[in-house]
Amino acid sequence: MEIEIREYREEDEQEWMRVHAIILSISHAWNYSIQERPNYEGYESTRLVAIAEGRIVGLTDTQYENEPGELCFLNDSRGGYVLEFGRLPEFAGHNIGRLLIDATVEDAKRKGFHRLEFWTQDRAAQRYYARLGMREIGRHYRFRMKATEAIDCALEKGRIGIEYLYCVCLPEEWPRIKQQYEIITRHPLEPHLCIGYEIRF
Ligand SMILES: CC(C)(COP(=O)(O)OP(=O)(O)OC[C@H]1O[C@@H](n2cnc3c(N)ncnc32)[C@H](O)[C@@H]1OP(=O)(O)O)[C@@H](O)C(=O)NCCC(=O)NCCS
């Protein structure tokens, strides 16, 4: 099957949104579904789509930092943060992910950047990045918990309702935190281990 990687065009918007929604439904990588196509105003970006059989079957967006550390975890130089990445499930087995990453690297180089970060809460994507040989740069748990009495009181208890708190902690703290607080475990609000990877070029 022939796969073409090309730049995203404005006229792709509706199709991009539909393909994005399908990819989002098969991965734990995203916290929210989106109703507007991100445009990364004020930032340089690489926005690519994979085309097969005349339609969009994969996509990736990278936003580049204006200042080191603004978006990425590592801050030794300005990096690119890969925010959107995936392909339709029925197009598995064609290495579309690799083609999208390679094309992003080429564009990043042209723009004068030398590193990309990939962060994901999706276990399959974590295995995939590790398998590609990307270097792990960090991990943390992301979880939602009920507000404690002290937080409720600090925030006008009774006037401001706190549905839940969205929190982050290091893996070594997680066993204790899990015991100590009321963690929300039901899907789609369950906790996830988020792992960051980078590639340099
Ligand atoms: C990540 C993703 C883009 C990779 O898709 P792909 O490039 O089509 O991958 P392929 O099916 O062609 O597989 C390519 C290779 O990677 C391997 N691979 C694919 N998924 C893997 C996984 N979850 N774990 C380990 N290896 C994996 C395949 O075995 C294959 O290896 P081979 O070349 O030795 O045969 C795809 O799984 C995806 O779209 N996932 C959902 C969206 C997502 O979670 N994105 C990450 C957002 S952070």
Side-chain angles (χ1 to χ4, degrees):
M1 181 183 301
E2 199 175 319
I3 313 282
E4 180 203 353
I5 307 294
R6 65 155 172 81
E7 279 188 24
Y8 169 85
R9 301 173 190 147
E10 293 312 317
E11 60 265 31
D12 293 330
E13 181 166 350
Q14 286 196 0
E15 194 184 353
W16 189 96
M17 290 297 296
R18 283 198 298 272
V19 172
H20 185 272
I22 294 169
I23 294 169
L24 187 144
S25 76
I26 55 158
S27 173
H28 287 280
W30 286 267
N31 277 329
Y32 308 101
S33 61
I34 50 171
Q35 288 72 40
E36 289 171 24
R37 204 266 182 256
N39 64 9
Y40 314 112
E41 207 179 324
Y43 291 88
E44 282 188 272
S45 63
T46 298
R47 304 194 293 172
L48 302 174
V49 290
I51 307 290
E53 299 170 350
R55 61 191 178 111
I56 298 177
V57 299
L59 51 85
T60 190
D61 282 4
T62 298
Q63 183 178 1
Y64 299 97
E65 294 179 307
N66 291 328
E67 302 296 332
E70 195 182 5
L71 305 166
C72 294
F73 175 63
L74 300 181
N75 57 9
D76 55 293
S77 62
R78 291 195 300 144
Y81 192 102
V82 178
L83 286 152
E84 310 291 347
F85 175 56
R87 50 93 188 110
L88 292 174
E90 61 270 34
F91 286 85
H94 297 285
N95 239 348
I96 293 174
R98 189 59 197 260
L99 295 173
L100 287 166
I101 293 172
D102 289 349
T104 300
V105 167
E106 287 315 307
D107 194 51
K109 280 187 199 163
R110 274 194 293 276
K111 290 179 159 70
F113 292 88
H114 302 285
R115 59 185 197 88
L116 296 175
E117 285 189 17
F118 298 74
W119 285 85
T120 187
Q121 309 183 117
D122 186 76
R123 282 179 175 236
Q126 291 164 1
R127 284 194 296 273
Y128 174 80
Y129 292 142
R131 176 106 190 273
L132 283 187
M134 291 189 189
R135 185 173 82 93
E136 183 178 325
I137 54 172
R139 47 174 73 194
H140 55 259
Y141 275 89
R142 305 181 75 89
F143 59 98
R144 290 154 180 93
M145 63 178 225
K146 294 283 179 196
T148 60
E149 182 67 16
I151 292 171
D152 244 344
C153 290
L155 255 182
E156 301 187 32
K157 187 176 181 179
R159 290 192 193 85
I160 299 178
I162 307 173
E163 213 169 308
Y164 56 76
L165 305 170
Y166 188 34
C167 310
V168 179
C169 75
L170 289 171
E172 55 267 35
E173 301 285 355
W174 178 237
R176 177 185 59 79
I177 287 171
K178 219 167 38 170
Q179 292 284 321
Q180 202 168 328
Y181 298 99
E182 205 180 326
I183 308 292
I184 298 175
T185 54
R186 68 179 186 278
H187 184 69
L189 303 180
E190 71 273 24
H192 288 291
L193 174 65
C194 184
I195 307 185
Y197 299 86
E198 72 150 13
I199 45 177
R200 290 188 181 239
F201 38 85

